[in-house]
Amino acid sequence: MHDWNGFVDAASRPENGHIPPLRAPYNFVSLNRDVLPTPLGCTPDLSMPVPDAISGTLTVEWAAETPLLVGGQLEEAPGTEDDGRQSRGGPADPARGRKMSKPFTLGGSLDYAIPGASLRGMIRAVLEIAAYGRLNFFDDSLFGVRNFDDVTWQAKVAPKKDEFPSGGFLKRGKDRSGERAEFLTPCSAFKVDISHICSLLGVGYDEWHRMPLVKRRRELHRKTVRGPDGRPTPLTQPVDAGELLGAGFEGRPALLVVAGAAIRDDKQGTNKKYEMVFLLDTMGEPVRLLPATVQRFRDIQVADGNEHRGDPDASWSYWRPVLDQESGGGRDWLAFETHALEKGIPVFWRNERGQEQRVPTEQSFLSLTRFMRVPYEHSVRKVAKWTQSDLNKDEPLDLVEALFGWAPPEAEEPAEGRLARKRAWRSRVKFGIATLPDGVRAETLDPVTGVTMKPRASFFPFYLRPDPQGKGTKHPVDYDNRNAVLAGRKRYPARNGSAERLPQAVDATRQEQLSDLTFLKASRERPLTFRSTIKVHNVTPVELGALVWALTFGQHGGADRGRRHMLGRAKAYGYGQVRATIADHSLTAVLTPDRAVDPAACMAAFQTWVTDSLPAEKAAGSPYEALPEIRELCAMAHAPTGEQLRNHLKFTRHQSGRNAPEMTLKAYQRIKQLATQRHAKNGDRREDTVPGFGKESVADHGREDAFLRLPCYPFDE
C-alpha cells in the first residue's frame, strides 16, 4: 500500500521512542515474479539480422543537477600512509587509513568524464525493472546472528546456565583419499581473568579492550613465561597452564586464546572479564567437517573490506591467512603463529541445541569467540530464488540479457539450471564515455570527509518482506523464515535541491570507514552537462524502445515530468541526480534503409509488448505506466516527490547513539532487537509475547505487517 500519510508518519516517529523512525534514504521496487523472455525467441541467432533490425547511434546528454562523483582515482589521503606495523591499540590517528576519491578523468587533471560502464550499469538497473527482467546482480551473502534474545540463536546454540562452548582447532588438510578437507580437533577450555593477562603484559585493562587481535598477539609474543618444558616461551605458543590458570594446572600444556577488540574508545564500556585457555593434553580425535559446515562458518565471518590497508582489524582477517596457510603480503604475524599453522586456528564449537555436546559432529557450529555467531538458514540467493521463481531455471534469456549481454558466472561448484549454461551472449549496445563539450570546464567542491556504511545483517527488517502468498505470515521475517521474500530492487529516490552534508567523523570513528570525497559542482540552476553516444547494433524496435524508455523514464518526445536517475557516490544524501535526454540520433532500419526510425514509436512498441506479454491477470488491461512495478519505479525517479519527502529520506536514527553514524546503527539494532525478541513459535511464524508485537499499524492504514517494515514509497505523480 503506497500511502503518503502512512509513509510520513512512520518516518516521523521520535528518535528516542520505543520504535525508531521507519525511514531510509532508499526504498524498494517490488521484485517482479513474472520474467518476460526476450522477444527474439528462445535461441536468438545474433549473427543474422533480427526482425526489423535497427542499427545506429543515440546521442545522449547527461545533466548533473546535484554534485556528482563517479570515482576514478582512489588514493591514500595525504599523510595517511600505513606501513602495516603501527600500533593499533591506542587512540586512532585522525587520518591514517582514510581514502581519497576523486572524479574520473581522461588523462588530464581537468578532463572530467563519466565512464561508459557506469552509465551502462545505471541504465541496465532501470531496464531490468522496466522490462520485467531477472534479478541478475546482487551480493549473495549468508548472514549470521549473535544475540542472546534472537530466536534463531536461542534455537540453535543457547547454552545451559554456566555452560560454555568447547574449544578446538580448525585445520585444513587431506583425507585418506588425498582430497582437501577441514578437520576439527576438540579440547577443553577454561576461563582466565583478563586482569591476570594485563598484569603479565604490563598493559592497562582498558588498553587491552581497545586492542585488535593483531596487536594483542604481538604483545603476547613479546612476553615469555614458563613453557611445558620449563623454558621461557612466548604466550602465543603452548605454555605451562599453571602460568595462566594457577594452582592445580601446573605442568600441563595450554594455549592462551584471545579475541579481538571489545571497545573502540574510552567512552565505550564492556562487561567482558575473561579470555580462554585451551588445555592441549585434552585434545580428542580430529573430526572431519562437512564442506558446507566450514563454508557456513567462513561466510558469516566479519572481515576487513577490500579497501582496507595495513594490519587487520577484524579477527577473521587475522586468522584466515593462517587457516589457508597463505604467505607474504606483509603478514608478519604468520612468523609467530607456528602452533596455529601446525595444529589449526583456535575456534569454539557447539552442536545444535538438544544434541550431545561432549564431542563435535561433522555439522558443529564454529565460532572465533565463545559467544557464538550462528548462520541463518537461508542465504540471500536462496531467498531471491523463491522470490523470483525462475531465477535459476533454464529459461530463455530475458530482454535485458539478450540486449546487454549475459555471461555465466564463475563458480567452483557446478551450478543448477540456467546458471550452468556455458554459452555467453554478446552485447548489442555500447555505451561510450560521457565528456564535457569543448570549452566547458567543471569546478570541484572542497573535499568532504564522510562516514560510509554498507548493508548489514541487522538491516533485515527493511530488506525482507513476508511473502504475500505465505498463508498469513506477518512481518518481521528474517533469513530463517521460508515465507520471507526480498523487499525488492533497491533504489535511491531523486529529490531535487542541494545535496545534504555527509555524516561527519568523530574521534571514535574507524578511519577505514571514512572517505575524502571530491564532487563536481552542479545544481539544478547550473547543471553540468556531459554528452556521450550509445551505439546499437542489430536490435529490434521493441529493444530500442526499451532502451529509450530506460534512458528517459518514458519522457522522450514529451514534456519533462521530473523523472531523474541517481549516479555515483553518496546517492543516499542526494548527490548524483542526473537528467538524461536524447539530443540526437542516427538510426537505420538494416533491411529497409529508406524507412525512418522513430525512437518515440519504438518506445510505445516496447510498452505495448510488455502489457501484451504479461499474464492477463497481471496486466488486467492497464496501461504500461500503471503497472505496479513501473509505477513504483517512476515514483522513486520523480524528483518533485522526493523533494517533498526530503526530510524523511534519511537514515533512521536512535538517540542512544553518540553521533550520527552511531545513531543509525543503534536504530537498526533497536529495530532488530524488537524483531527478534523471544517469543513462542506458531507454525512457521513467530507469535509474540509482547503486547502489540507484529500488530501495530502505521498511520492506521490497516496493514498489520507494517510493524518494523520500511513503508512502501508513496505515489504522487
Side-chain angles (χ1 to χ4, degrees), residues 222-331:
R222 295 188 188 105
K223 177 64 179 179
T224 60
V225 298
R226 186 176 66 252
D229 58 2
R231 298 179 181 179
T233 304
L235 274 170
T236 52
Q237 303 302 311
V239 299
D240 189 315
E243 294 287 302
L244 299 170
L245 301 176
F249 290 91
E250 298 92 338
R252 301 179 68 180
L255 188 72
L256 177 60
V257 178
V258 300
I263 60 177
R264 291 292 174 185
D265 62 72
D266 294 334
K267 297 178 182 179
Q268 288 182 292
T270 177
N271 59 2
K272 183 176 180 180
K273 299 178 180 178
Y274 305 103
E275 302 290 353
M276 301 299 289
V277 174
F278 288 2
L279 288 183
L280 303 183
D281 58 3
T282 64
M283 293 174 66
E285 291 296 318
V287 174
R288 178 177 178 172
L289 302 173
L290 291 176
T293 299
V294 180
Q295 191 60 50
R296 284 196 301 268
F297 164 70
R298 286 176 173 268
D299 286 345
I300 64 174
Q301 299 310 309
V302 177
D304 296 327
N306 293 333
E307 297 178 1
H308 182 87
R309 298 294 182 270
D311 286 341
D313 270 336
S315 296
W316 177 239
S317 297
Y318 180 93
W319 284 122
R320 187 198 58 76
V322 181
L323 176 62
D324 294 341
Q325 305 214 353
E326 297 178 357
S327 59
R331 302 183 182 100

Side-chain angles (χ1 to χ4, degrees), residues 177-221:
S177 65
E179 293 185 3
R180 191 185 78 178
E182 279 82 15
F183 298 87
L184 175 63
T185 304
C187 65
S188 297
F190 292 82
K191 295 188 297 183
V192 57
D193 200 298
I194 289 175
S195 61
H196 179 55
I197 299 173
C198 291
S199 66
L200 287 174
L201 299 179
V203 301
Y205 195 77
D206 289 340
E207 182 183 0
W208 174 262
H209 282 306
R210 284 197 306 267
M211 290 183 185
L213 181 61
V214 63
K215 172 65 175 175
R216 293 183 177 188
R217 298 295 290 179
R218 286 198 181 113
E219 292 291 332
L220 293 172
H221 193 66

Side-chain angles (χ1 to χ4, degrees), residues 434-452:
T435 58
L436 294 170
D438 291 342
V440 175
R441 288 285 179 238
E443 300 177 45
T444 59
L445 300 174
D446 292 336
V448 293
T449 300
V451 180
T452 57

